[in-house]
């Protein structure tokens, strides 16, 4: 038998049919649903008189439009002040009712960002195919699954058939080896990867993240990395199953139990690339070369180390890149050559499907503990990824640390990652954000986003500008 | 889905790399529960000088005079000429919905983001790949000639320029077939219902936990 990659194995195990030309029908084990990309799909089912193929494969929760403010949240769906947002969340509730799909509604403690909720519940498992009408579905690949975003037509397709028409992608390996420097996290790794290969570096590929650095990460860290595979152009990011994976899954509400657990483990232990498996593309990074990262521009590949400077257009040889740099600097209101440290900030956002899990909040809290946010920071939002993350954080007293530092402790939602609820940047405001996209207008009309890790966002909140988090960690009293 | 067979139309430029789906259709318009009516908000933040709101009448908004789609010469354009990695970012199908609703049936670029590329085919929009030099040349020709049009023939997989040059392009057979005939691919998949059931029966034996209800 020829050596197979993890992606090859999972692809083969989900193949329903394939033509000689390679057009395949792939079976989907888990479909996650949220309010933004599903209403037109449910409407399509209704118009065609179709029913969901397998109701128990679907799990829904509202996240994008849900308010993070405690008062607005208290009134449930009816309390959402924006009537357009309210209708979208209500439509999800109505559709789930009508079709019998399980939903964690707005104020259910299990509600949260769909990519935090799935793994937390054990609803996404190793070896599954997981899809959702959201490009950050790659997150779930951290468990050793094929997971990717789909458009609304495909949401309808999965609802109606439990399958997707696909062609196999190419195999790409991103290998990171060595020990991370202090203050460097999963977020810095993935930003460094994107900086190296570019936002189209993984287009057409399923990326497997491997190497000793990745192996040493927790599942939450691996999720942060897989989450941003799409920012490197790859729909799929994945990490092989190991003991860390199995320990993470065990005991979660939807995880298998009893005899099924033993059978599942036996299968999951095969979910890694075989020695000698061939990848179409391989990229290697030395963990020791990675410093805390900060994006300076309007694409995630426009990233630099904390001790570096913002580049100038002349630093780029290709005309298209030079023009992009020029435009980005203008939008961001930055000068080429200025130090990353000198970028002044107005707001801080800690949250999103990239960085809103308990470890992210712990890492930010460790930095701000006993400190205050800088006077120029108008608002520092901390938005846990789910009701259960929020509860856990409160049990650990993290909420108090943030509040004492002058930060705002919010309700679980996508919040200012994409500003579909009322958490937004004003025009021209600079934000240190733990989210995943620094596109123009993403966090609010005219807003300027700098992507960083939770620890770096916390350090920026304290300093009022970017600094190496190590400067604060070294000074911190244990 | 509207079939796509042949098209001759005015070409408009989106002359920057990495155009993301937030730029194609900003998030506030994603709150709609409909799949039509996104055209007036295509490239909203570039097209207008103010911040657009869902449901707002765009006819009285201040337009950005520097944005090419607002130039009279590109009025009625149905082919969009773009640069590398067009459509990157989110999976929102609102992006091709907005392009289609505006009147674009075809995009020509050196490369696309995967999800956007896939979404186009589900909505009667043909994304064509041409190498970067060819795209660059088309940009130059288009800028030099007011009213510049291209003809696109999906059956023949060919673009014809005003000068009579014929550029061929690749497209997967299955996608071509669906687009030419405007086929609903759910109907096509459901023709394989037996194969799906057979797969489920086999998989239930191999991996029963995937079919077990919550403990």
């Amino acid at each position: 038998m020829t050596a197979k990659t993890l992606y090859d194995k999972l692809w083969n195990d989900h193949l329903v049919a394939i033509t000689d030309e390679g057009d395949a029908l792939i079976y989907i084990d888990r479909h996650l649903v949220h309010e933004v990309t599903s209403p037109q799909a449910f409407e399509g089912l209704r118009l065609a008189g179709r029913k969901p193929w397998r109701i128990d494969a679907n799990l829904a929760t509202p996240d994008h439009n849900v308010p993070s403010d405690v008062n607005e949240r208290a009134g449930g769906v009816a309390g959402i002040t924006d009537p357009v947002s309210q209708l979208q969340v209500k439509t999800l509730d109505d559709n789930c009712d009508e079709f019998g799909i399980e939903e964690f509604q707005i104020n259910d403690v299990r509600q949260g960002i769909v990519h935090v909720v799935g793994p937390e519940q054990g609803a996404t498992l190793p070896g599954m195919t997981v899809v959702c009408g959201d490009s950050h579905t790659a997150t779930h690949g951290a468990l050793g699954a094929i997971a990717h975003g789909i458009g609304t037509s495909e949401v309808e397709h999965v609802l109606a058939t439990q399958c997707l028409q696909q062609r196999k992608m190419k195999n790409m390996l991103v290998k990171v080896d060595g020990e991370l420097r202090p203050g460097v996290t999963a977020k810095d790794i993935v930003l460094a990867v994107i900086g190296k290969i570019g936002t189209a570096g993984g287009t057409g590929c399923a990326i497997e993240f491997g190497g000793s650095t990745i192996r040493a990460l927790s599942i939450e860290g691996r999720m942060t990395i897989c989450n941003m595979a799409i920012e490197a152009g790859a729909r799929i990011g994945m990490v092989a199953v190991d003991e860390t994976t199995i320990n993470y899954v065990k005991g979660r509400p939807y995880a298998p139990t009893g005899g099924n657990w033993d059978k599942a483990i036996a299968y999951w232990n095969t979910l890694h690339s075989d020695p000698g498996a061939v990848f179409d593309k391989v990229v290697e990074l030395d963990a020791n070369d990675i410093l805390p990262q900060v994006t300076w521009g309007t694409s995630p590949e426009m990233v630099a180390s904390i001790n570096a400077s913002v580049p100038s257009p002349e630093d780029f040889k290709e005309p298209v890149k030079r023009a992009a740099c020029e435009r980005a600097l203008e939008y961001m209101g930055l000068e080429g050559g200025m130090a990353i440290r000198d970028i002044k900030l107005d707001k801080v956002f800690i949250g999103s499907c990239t960085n809103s899990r308990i470890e992210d909040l712990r890492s930010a809290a460790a930095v701000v503990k006993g400190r205050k946010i800088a006077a120029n920071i108008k608002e520092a939002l901390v938005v846990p990824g789910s009701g259960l993350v929020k509860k856990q954080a409160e049990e650990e007293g993290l909420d108090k640390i943030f509040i004492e530092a002058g930060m705002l402790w919010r309700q679980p939602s996508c919040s200012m990652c994409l500003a579909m609820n009322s958490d937004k940047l004003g025009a021209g405001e600079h934000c240190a954000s733990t989210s995943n996209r620094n596109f123009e207008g993403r966090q609010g009309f005219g807003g300027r986003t700098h992507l960083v890790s939770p620890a770096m966002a916390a350090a920026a909140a304290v300093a009022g500008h970017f600094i190496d988090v190590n400067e604060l960690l070294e000074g911190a009293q244990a | 889905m509207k079939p796509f067979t042949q098209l001759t139309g005015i070409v408009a430029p989106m002359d920057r790399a990495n155009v993301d789906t937030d730029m194609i259709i900003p998030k506030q318009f994603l709150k709609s529960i409909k799949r039509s009516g996104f055209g007036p908000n295509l490239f909203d933040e570039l097209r207008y000088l103010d911040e657009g709101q869902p449901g707002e009448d765009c006819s009285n908004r201040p337009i950005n005079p520097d944005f090419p789609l607002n130039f009279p010469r590109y009025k009625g354009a149905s082919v969009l000429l773009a640069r590398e990695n067009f459509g990157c970012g989110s999976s929102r199908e609102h992006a091709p919905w907005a392009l289609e609703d505006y009147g674009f049936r075809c995009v020509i670029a050196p490369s696309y983001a995967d999800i956007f590329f896939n979404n186009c085919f589900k909505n009667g929009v043909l994304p064509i790949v041409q190498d970067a030099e060819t795209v660059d040349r088309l940009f130059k020709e288009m800028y030099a000639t007011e009213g510049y049009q291209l003809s696109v023939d999906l059956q023949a997989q060919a673009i014809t320029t005003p000068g009579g040059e014929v550029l061929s392009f690749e497209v997967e057979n299955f996608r071509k077939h669906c687009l030419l005939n405007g086929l609903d691919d759910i109907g096509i998949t459901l023709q394989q219902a037996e194969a799906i059931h057979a797969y489920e029966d086999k998989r239930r034996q191999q991996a029963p936990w995937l079919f077990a209800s919550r403990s």
Side-chain angles (χ1 to χ4, degrees):
Chain A
M1 272 204 349
T2 51
K4 293 191 180 68
T5 66
L6 170 59
Y7 175 62
D8 292 340
K9 292 179 184 180
L10 292 175
W11 170 268
N12 290 343
D13 286 347
H14 289 87
L15 208 49
V16 173
I18 187 160
T19 66
D20 294 342
E21 279 196 79
D23 294 306
L25 201 59
I26 290 292
Y27 191 80
I28 303 303
D29 295 314
R30 175 66 70 196
H31 180 213
L32 300 168
V33 182
H34 64 87
E35 79 278 18
V36 179
T37 53
S38 66
Q40 298 88 350
F42 284 114
E43 184 64 10
L45 284 189
R46 264 191 295 273
L47 290 172
R50 290 177 176 135
K51 293 264 174 260
W53 181 276
R54 205 186 125 194
I55 289 164
D56 71 339
N58 299 283
L59 180 65
T61 193
D63 53 9
H64 287 62
N65 281 273
V66 166
S68 76
D69 178 80
V70 69
N71 296 316
E72 193 179 350
R73 190 65 170 261
V77 179
I80 302 176
T81 47
D82 177 348
V84 192
S85 289
Q86 187 191 111
L87 177 64
Q88 200 167 53
V89 176
K90 184 175 182 304
T91 303
L92 179 68
D93 291 356
D94 292 348
N95 283 325
C96 289
D97 272 353
E98 180 185 337
F99 291 99
I101 290 170
E102 181 165 26
E103 183 196 3
F104 301 152
Q105 294 193 350
I106 183 166
N107 284 340
D108 187 314
V109 72
R110 298 167 298 175
Q111 178 273 343
I113 305 173
V114 70
H115 308 308
V116 175
V117 169
E120 180 176 82
Q121 290 292 322
T124 48
L125 293 170
M128 276 184 165
T129 40
V130 179
V131 297
C132 173
D134 190 286
S135 59
H136 291 113
T137 308
T139 311
H140 309 263
L143 296 166
I146 286 185
H148 62 80
I150 53 178
T152 298
S153 294
E154 289 192 321
V155 169
E156 185 181 339
H157 197 280
V158 172
L159 282 167
T161 69
Q162 210 52 48
C163 291
L164 281 177
Q165 297 169 352
Q166 261 182 15
R167 283 210 173 184
K168 198 176 173 191
M169 297 184 198
K170 290 198 168 108
N171 278 292
M172 178 167 177
L173 177 65
V174 173
K175 199 163 169 283
V176 191
D177 283 299
E179 205 171 320
L180 287 174
R181 289 165 176 263
V184 176
T185 67
K187 182 65 164 287
D188 303 298
I189 298 174
V190 72
L191 286 172
V193 169
I194 297 163
K196 183 173 168 116
I197 69 175
T199 49
T203 302
C205 300
I207 298 182
E208 179 177 342
F209 294 95
S212 64
T213 317
I214 305 293
R215 293 256 70 83
L217 290 174
S218 69
I219 292 299
E220 295 195 359
R222 296 177 193 180
M223 284 193 229
T224 299
I225 291 188
C226 291
N227 173 275
M228 289 189 72
I230 187 70
E231 266 59 68
R235 292 176 79 173
I236 296 174
M238 57 202 332
V239 176
V241 173
D242 60 11
E243 218 180 305
T244 309
T245 322
I246 290 170
N247 290 338
Y248 175 89
V249 172
K250 193 168 188 182
R252 294 188 181 266
Y254 287 72
T257 52
N260 272 346
W261 174 254
D262 298 332
K263 278 186 206 155
I265 292 184
Y267 174 59
W268 295 345
N269 280 327
T270 68
L271 299 180
H272 49 78
S273 292
D274 296 327
V278 179
F279 289 86
D280 302 284
K281 260 181 169 177
V282 178
V283 173
E284 297 187 38
L285 278 84
D286 182 342
N288 195 49
D289 294 341
I290 305 172
L291 296 175
Q293 303 284 301
V294 179
T295 68
W296 52 267
T298 53
S299 165
E301 70 183 25
M302 294 173 168
V303 64
S305 298
I306 178 63
N307 57 5
S309 299
V310 174
S312 303
E314 307 82 69
D315 298 339
F316 297 90
K317 280 193 209 109
E318 292 170 56
V320 172
K321 289 217 159 164
R322 195 182 309 139
C325 175
E326 207 166 319
R327 198 177 294 114
L329 292 181
E330 193 192 329
Y331 180 84
M332 295 297 287
L334 299 176
E335 296 288 331
M338 73 182 281
I340 293 281
R341 296 179 59 103
D342 292 340
I343 300 173
K344 274 260 183 178
L345 296 162
D346 304 287
K347 288 185 176 168
V348 173
F349 171 61
I350 297 173
S352 88
C353 57
T354 312
N355 282 127
S356 65
R357 297 177 182 82
I358 192 68
E359 292 173 14
D360 299 317
L361 302 184
R362 284 178 191 147
S363 130
V367 176
V368 299
K369 189 173 183 180
R371 295 187 163 102
K372 297 278 181 208
I373 62 171
N376 58 304
I377 301 295
K378 297 179 215 166
E379 186 178 74
L381 288 179
V382 186
V383 188
S386 73
L388 290 168
V389 170
K390 178 168 181 278
K391 189 165 166 271
Q392 170 82 29
E394 288 171 355
E395 281 165 15
E396 296 179 18
L398 305 184
D399 56 327
K400 291 195 181 64
I401 295 173
F402 292 124
I403 292 165
E404 278 164 18
M407 302 170 102
L408 301 171
W409 178 243
R410 294 296 187 112
Q411 308 293 308
S413 56
C414 297
S415 179
M416 209 159 70
C417 172
L418 84 169
M420 279 187 77
N421 67 6
S422 47
D423 305 329
K424 291 184 174 79
L425 293 184
E429 286 179 340
H430 286 268
C431 179
S433 178
T434 67
S435 56
N436 39 58
R437 292 192 174 130
N438 51 354
F439 299 156
E440 290 183 19
R442 169 88 178 176
Q443 293 193 290
F445 187 72
R448 295 160 169 171
T449 303
H450 301 276
L451 304 176
V452 287
S453 73
M456 283 290 286
V462 170
H465 60 91
F466 289 113
I467 59 162
D468 188 332
V469 62
N470 289 303
E471 293 172 36
L472 292 181
L473 290 177
E474 281 155 16
Q477 299 300 313
Chain B
M1 179 174 86
K2 262 191 222 168
F4 185 108
T5 50
Q6 285 174 313
L7 169 76
T8 298
I10 292 181
V11 184
M14 189 61 206
D15 198 352
R16 52 165 98 181
N18 297 317
V19 169
D20 57 72
T21 55
D22 280 80
M23 199 176 279
I24 298 174
I25 182 86
K27 68 270 171 189
Q28 63 269 37
F29 305 107
L30 273 52
K31 296 181 185 185
S32 168
I33 58 171
K34 299 194 183 120
R35 63 194 305 157
S36 58
F38 295 101
N41 302 110
L42 175 71
F43 300 122
D44 198 273
E45 292 187 0
L46 299 170
R47 236 166 112 190
Y48 304 98
L49 295 170
D50 63 345
E51 183 180 4
Q53 295 305 328
E56 182 186 10
D57 176 8
C58 294
S59 54
N60 295 318
R61 292 175 58 195
I63 65 159
N64 176 2
D66 299 328
F67 185 59
L69 285 196
N70 290 328
F71 300 175
R73 62 178 287 187
Y74 299 120
K75 201 172 158 49
S78 55
V79 178
L80 187 68
L81 195 56
R83 298 284 186 186
E84 286 83 2
N85 200 28
F86 187 80
C88 62
S90 97
S91 66
R92 61 188 70 166
E93 202 156 314
H94 311 67
W97 293 341
L99 286 165
E100 201 270 343
D101 196 60
Y102 180 90
F104 287 117
R105 296 296 311 279
C106 177
V107 186
I108 301 173
S111 59
Y112 299 86
D114 288 338
I115 304 180
F116 172 82
F117 187 74
N118 196 37
N119 283 341
C120 283
F121 283 98
K122 315 279 183 194
N123 292 283
V125 175
L126 175 64
I128 295 177
V129 177
Q130 291 286 292
D131 62 63
E133 295 83 68
T134 305
V135 168
D136 212 40
R137 191 152 48 80
L138 292 176
F139 265 105
K140 286 188 180 122
E141 288 183 14
M142 177 200 58
Y143 285 133
T145 320
E146 193 155 339
Y148 185 82
Q149 298 200 353
L150 288 173
S151 293
V152 178
D153 184 335
L154 176 55
Q155 182 62 51
Q157 294 179 219
I159 305 168
T160 309
T161 70
E165 185 189 5
V166 178
L167 305 163
S168 65
F169 61 86
E170 297 292 317
V171 57
E172 286 175 18
N173 275 335
F174 180 70
R175 285 177 157 158
K176 178 179 174 180
H177 172 70
C178 291
L179 204 48
L180 280 172
N181 298 291
L183 296 179
D184 160 15
D185 51 24
I186 294 178
I188 297 172
T189 296
L190 286 175
Q191 288 170 5
Q192 302 196 63
E194 271 182 43
I196 304 172
H197 284 303
Y199 172 86
E200 286 180 324
D201 291 343
K202 183 190 73 178
R203 193 70 176 156
R204 196 176 276 113
Q205 300 297 317
Q206 293 170 340
W209 65 91
L210 292 173
F211 296 85
S213 49
R214 188 154 73 103
S215 52

